[in-house]
Amino acid sequence: MKAFAYTVVALCVAVLIETVLPDRAVFHSGWYNVALLALIVALVLYARRALRSTEGPQTAALVAIALGAGILGFAGIVNGLFAPDPRTFVGAPGQEIALAEMGGVLAFPSIADSTTPELVRSHTPVVPVSRERYLGSFILRPIPRTVVRVDAYDANGAHLTVTQPTGSVFLSPVLMMESTQEISGLDLPFDSFALPAAHRIVKAVLFSAQQIAALRGVTGTPAPAVLFAVDDQADRPLPHAIRLARSGETIQAGGVRLRGVIATYPAVDVIAAPSLPAVIAGLVLVVGGAFLFLQQGARTRFRS
Amino acid sequence: MTLPWITGAVAVIIAAVVLVPIFSGQAPHVAGPGGIVGRVAPVFVLQDDRGAAVSLRQYRGRVVLMNLWATWCPPCREEMPDLQRLAARERASGLVVVGVDQGESAQRARDFARALDVRYPIWIDSGQLYGRAYAALGLPTTIIVNRRGVIVRGFDGPLTYQQMQAAVGPLLTQHKAP
């Protein structure tokens, strides 16, 4: 009976931790799921042995406990083996990214309207991801990221189209800064864009205030800044076309004027977790069964 | 019913509860402007090339062909005369053609349109809002919105006059929405 109880407790604890902290990679590892499977096999063996030594309502209670622990273990294994690893979806304002595992799309808002991404699925209400949301077997969590909104002008001050031929959204003036560039031993967020009308390609590197403070030759109060490097359309560097600009400051480089505004914009973490209905059902059966089992045991002792 | 049968039935129900959320809802998603067909067209208040406030709402009840373009885009320039021809020919049938310049100044867009004798409305989308909302993969991008404000077609790349006609023709023959 003790071995059965220990196995049930082990399964419950493991799957509850998996439910509370689902973003840990260990839950998708082979050894963890083999261990869960071994616990389920042990549960079945010990349950059979325990059932032989009980009778009446205590048997029903043991069956409920075993069933509940089995549900929990099964939910844990299904999540570990079949659900996708945690992923971060970085979307540009206005972009929609398919979320096949949830049967919908993540709609990233236009900054002008709102800054809350939404999960849009057919036949169900739109779910705003303004805070951590638990949906079935998934958790959606907004993660703030630093992005740069650029405006570009020609020498006469006429506004220019910004395109991102290598980005996820072609016609977006918002740089998501997903890559990194190593400069002086620092890994710095990096992105690039094109100005087709001016035949220019511009690289943008983001510096934090602390990184600016560490740079030599930069005067004034340290503030976040963007380093713009302007190339021609064949990606050849132009002379005197590398300039550092504070957020909102307009600089002139390579025949164009550039302004970068540093802002915060959310990405969305999508984390698979054991099915919440299954976990609740399993827990109810284990706790209810344990209560019934102990109650029957006390009644039996009282009678004898 | 015996215990094994009950246990088996419960196991099947559990399997369904746990597995269905994981394997259901594999919705295919089309990239680009074709992927937004069926949605209500987003409405942004912009300015036209003369500085007047404009929005899609003013064309409610009409079929709207929105053409995203820029002056630096050669294929955009090539299809603009056909768009003008279509706009003039189908105006009485309830078609509105709107050219939405992406990210450029009003002066540049106006001068360019005038040089090509374009007389349909030119809107200035300096924030490139429509480019993003319509998932443009390049320029030109053409979106067709029906009389109820729903996106019915999305095209990446230039269209011929015949393609434009084929896309808007069936919508123009439908009755005007109340």
Side-chain angles (χ1 to χ4, degrees), chain B residues 50-131:
Chain B
R50 298 181 191 285
V54 286
S55 111
L56 262 184
R57 283 200 190 92
Q58 68 196 72
Y59 298 129
R60 197 170 178 174
R62 303 179 78 176
V63 176
V64 181
L65 185 153
M66 294 185 81
N67 178 251
L68 309 190
W69 69 286
T71 60
W72 48 265
C73 157
C76 303
R77 181 193 178 99
E78 281 168 26
E79 73 174 356
M80 285 175 101
D82 283 339
L83 286 168
Q84 173 57 44
R85 199 169 131 212
L86 186 76
R89 185 167 172 165
E90 302 292 357
R91 185 179 299 132
S93 310
L95 177 72
V96 177
V97 174
V98 178
V100 187
D101 180 277
Q102 291 298 291
E104 298 182 295
S105 65
Q107 178 74 45
R108 187 189 289 254
R110 187 169 57 238
D111 292 348
F112 189 87
R114 192 174 289 164
L116 288 177
D117 197 23
V118 166
R119 279 161 282 149
Y120 55 79
I122 298 293
W123 294 1
I124 308 302
D125 184 6
S126 54
Q128 301 174 200
L129 299 169
Y130 274 112

Side-chain angles (χ1 to χ4, degrees), chain B residues 30-51:
Chain B
V30 181
I36 56 168
V37 167
R39 311 253 182 90
V40 174
V43 175
F44 303 109
V45 177
L46 304 177
Q47 290 192 333
D48 69 9
D49 57 351
R50 298 181 191 285

Side-chain angles (χ1 to χ4, degrees), chain A residues 186 188-189 205-215 222-226 262:
Chain A
L186 299 170
L188 300 164
V205 182
L206 183 64
F207 287 81
S208 67
Q210 291 90 336
Q211 289 160 341
I212 289 291
L215 290 178
V226 183
I262 300 168

Side-chain angles (χ1 to χ4, degrees), chain A residues 151-157 195 250-253 255-259:
Chain A
D151 279 297
Y153 307 86
D154 67 11
N156 300 320
L195 303 172
T250 303
I251 54 105
Q252 190 146 5
V256 292
R257 289 161 58 195
L258 300 168
R259 186 167 68 107

